[in-house]
Amino acid sequence: MRVEGAGALTSVKRSFFRHPAVVATGSAGLVALLGLNVTAFVRGVQSPWLLGAAIIADMVVIGLGILFAAREVLQADSRIEASKAQLEAIVDSAMDAIITVDEAQNIVLFNRAAEQVFRVRREEMLGTPLDRLLPARFRGAHRGHIEIFGRTGVTSRRMGDVTTLWGVRADGEEFPIEASISQALESGKRYYTVILRDITLRKQAEDALLESQRELRQLSARVLEAREEEKAHIARELHDELGQLLTALKMDLGWLRERLPAASELAPRTAEMGVLLDRTVTATRRISADLRPLMLDDLGLADAASWLVDDFAKRSGITSRIDVPAELPEVSKAVGTAVYRAIQESLTNIARHAGASSAWVVLGVEDGAIHVEVEDDGRGIAPEDLGKSRSLGLKGMRERIAFLGGTLEIARAPRGGTRLQLRVPLRGLAEETAA
């Protein structure tokens, strides 16, 4: 580092008197002055000239000390003023609004961003209560919160962790804010600094997103409802119309078989036709039940769920058991359908992917809600499989339950397989779905 001229005697604080060489010279001079005073004191009146020289030297040193002290005070004041100006410039350049209040919660600092946010000049705000920037309904509670914060001893924290905070502009417009608060002691006085940000645009975007999600959820529920109604209509048609036609055809085939000779070559063919007709009737009933079990509408959720589990055990060969309370309260059509479809989808996934030998279904009611657990002892579902695009059945199930105000959780079961747990209110959002 190259240094020239007077700069060679200037320290990092730019003070001549703080340079090591100057300090050493001054120390040596003070020692010499001390020696002179001791000598003058010992010799006393024997050397009046020496005593006078000591007095003059002392006065010169005292004068220089006073001058030095005065200079340091002036420089300190200058540095403080420069620091304050620099701090004010930094605070004014901040993009977030910064407001500092004293213990009486009167504003002592109001930066340029705060002027823009609240649309008021700082000259009008300095010395006024902070309550002026808050909606009237929040002023009392906010003052109490700051006082409590001052007693906690915590230096800083975020404000409004749960609820949205609100401010009010000079023209009376309220707007949402995000803020943090800190406290500091200066000269025995406590000051609170709030850094806040206008989140009007973000709040509007969040509200729009939530409204969009709500509308999409409603649309999804309407689509599922229309789908269930269409399934119910097709199931009724299969059960009533096609079922009656197949029954009539079976009766006619039986009448024909009774009138054919036993040795006739048509007898084996009619027997095959009877077997095929029986299989057709069975397939029709199965398809009708898969589309919409009529007993869900006629007998209720408990009987429909019991039949579903028994039928699953027969088809899959997986040992299955269901536990249903003796008296299951009546549920709305939307809730009954959602719970039934959740059980049906869970059993289908067990048959396809679990490799299980046993499955358990438990229905119960607690705190005005129906609880369902479906568990198996298979290989279990990996967490990464829950988010795969092919898991549309699980996603549809979750959306249906969420729209009704319920919750659905899927996790690993104690037996090693998969456990599905859902909770749906017996009433509440079900009426909104049907509206």
Side-chain angles (χ1 to χ4, degrees):
M1 180 177 179
R2 184 178 179 183
V3 181
E4 296 180 357
L9 297 179
T10 304
S11 71
V12 292
K13 293 187 178 291
R14 312 298 298 173
S15 176
F16 172 82
F17 295 100
R18 295 179 183 176
H19 193 278
V22 177
V23 173
T25 303
S27 300
L30 289 176
V31 171
L33 180 62
L34 179 61
L36 178 62
N37 279 272
V38 170
T39 303
F41 177 76
V42 171
R43 299 193 63 176
V45 295
Q46 297 178 1
S47 302
W49 62 269
L50 183 61
L51 183 61
I55 293 174
I56 293 173
D58 289 342
M59 293 177 64
V60 171
V61 171
I62 293 173
L64 291 175
I66 293 173
L67 291 176
F68 175 75
R71 177 181 179 276
E72 287 298 311
V73 169
L74 291 176
Q75 287 186 344
D77 290 341
S78 176
R79 286 195 293 269
I80 291 174
E81 291 298 328
S83 298
K84 286 183 177 179
Q86 185 179 15
L87 178 60
E88 290 177 359
I90 293 173
V91 171
D92 266 346
S93 66
M95 299 184 65
D96 291 335
I98 302 176
I99 303 172
T100 299
V101 299
D102 56 19
E103 291 179 321
Q105 298 191 26
N106 293 324
I107 298 174
V108 298
L109 185 147
F110 200 79
N111 74 337
R112 187 171 301 164
E115 290 183 320
Q116 297 173 354
V117 169
F118 291 96
R119 300 172 186 169
V120 61
R121 295 184 60 81
R122 78 178 72 189
E123 291 78 8
E124 301 178 28
M125 295 305 303
L126 294 177
T128 62
L130 180 64
D131 293 350
R132 182 177 172 183
L133 304 176
L134 302 174
R137 63 185 182 279
F138 297 134
R139 291 174 183 174
H142 183 268
R143 181 173 288 271
H145 290 328
I146 291 185
E147 292 176 353
I148 294 173
F149 172 69
R151 292 194 296 266
T152 60
V154 178
T155 57
S156 63
R157 69 173 176 83
R158 182 179 176 183
M159 301 176 68
D161 291 334
V162 178
T163 59
T164 300
L165 298 177
W166 292 86
V168 59
R169 307 189 203 274
D171 56 6
E173 177 191 352
E174 294 187 8
F175 63 100
I177 60 176
E178 183 180 69
S180 62
I181 185 172
S182 61
Q183 60 176 318
L185 284 173
E186 183 178 347
S187 301
K189 297 181 180 180
R190 190 179 303 274
Y191 293 91
Y192 303 95
T193 299
V194 178
I195 301 177
L196 60 92
R197 179 177 300 171
D198 183 352
I199 58 171
T200 300
L201 296 179
R202 190 179 78 185
K203 189 70 167 56
Q204 290 175 349
E206 291 176 353
D207 291 343
L209 179 60
L210 291 176
E211 179 63 19
S212 176
Q213 291 176 344
R214 188 184 67 83
E215 291 178 354
L216 288 175
R217 186 159 287 172
Q218 285 184 339
L219 177 61
S220 176
R222 296 295 184 269
V223 170
L224 291 174
E225 184 179 357
R227 182 182 177 186
E228 289 294 338
E229 291 177 355
E230 187 65 22
K231 284 183 176 182
H233 175 71
I234 296 175
R236 288 284 183 186
E237 292 293 326
L238 288 175
H239 184 272
D240 296 339
E241 298 295 332
L242 186 57
Q244 290 179 6
L245 293 175
L246 290 174
T247 300
L249 184 60
K250 186 175 181 179
M251 293 174 62
D252 290 343
L253 181 61
W255 179 86
L256 180 61
R257 291 176 60 185
E258 291 177 356
R259 284 159 178 74
L260 287 176
S264 173
E265 60 180 5
L266 296 178
R269 180 60 60 86
T270 56
E272 293 177 2
M273 291 175 63
V275 173
L276 183 61
L277 190 56
D278 290 338
R279 292 172 57 187
T280 303
V281 171
T282 302
T284 302
R285 291 175 179 173
R286 176 179 55 80
I287 295 173
S288 176
D290 289 341
L291 286 172
R292 175 77 181 185
L294 300 180
M295 65 176 62
L296 182 59
D297 298 324
D298 299 336
L299 301 179
L301 176 61
D303 292 330
S306 298
W307 172 85
L308 177 64
V309 173
D310 293 340
D311 184 67
F312 169 78
K314 293 176 183 177
R315 293 191 199 179
S316 63
I318 298 175
T319 303
S320 305
R321 187 181 67 186
I322 183 170
D323 184 8
V324 183
E327 294 184 3
L328 188 67
E330 184 178 354
V331 299
S332 67
K333 182 178 179 181
V335 172
T337 300
V339 172
Y340 180 87
R341 292 304 184 192
I343 297 174
Q344 186 181 46
E345 180 67 25
S346 300
L347 294 176
T348 300
N349 288 336
I350 291 174
R352 291 178 178 176
H353 311 296
S357 58
S358 301
W360 299 266
V361 179
V362 179
L363 272 73
V365 177
E366 184 179 355
D367 298 331
I370 183 168
H371 298 256
V372 180
E373 287 189 9
V374 182
E375 184 179 338
D376 65 80
D377 61 354
R379 63 175 61 94
I381 185 170
E384 57 270 16
D385 292 337
L386 295 175
K388 290 184 177 179
S389 58
R390 65 181 178 86
S391 303
L392 296 179
L394 295 177
K395 294 179 180 178
M397 187 193 316
R398 195 182 301 275
E399 283 297 315
R400 188 196 296 258
I401 297 299
F403 179 77
L404 295 173
T407 58
L408 185 146
E409 298 179 359
I410 301 176
R412 200 163 187 85
R415 297 180 175 89
T418 302
R419 171 184 287 176
L420 177 142
Q421 295 177 304
L422 66 86
R423 177 187 179 278
V424 185
L426 296 174
R427 301 178 183 86
L429 296 182
E431 286 76 9
E432 181 181 342
T433 306

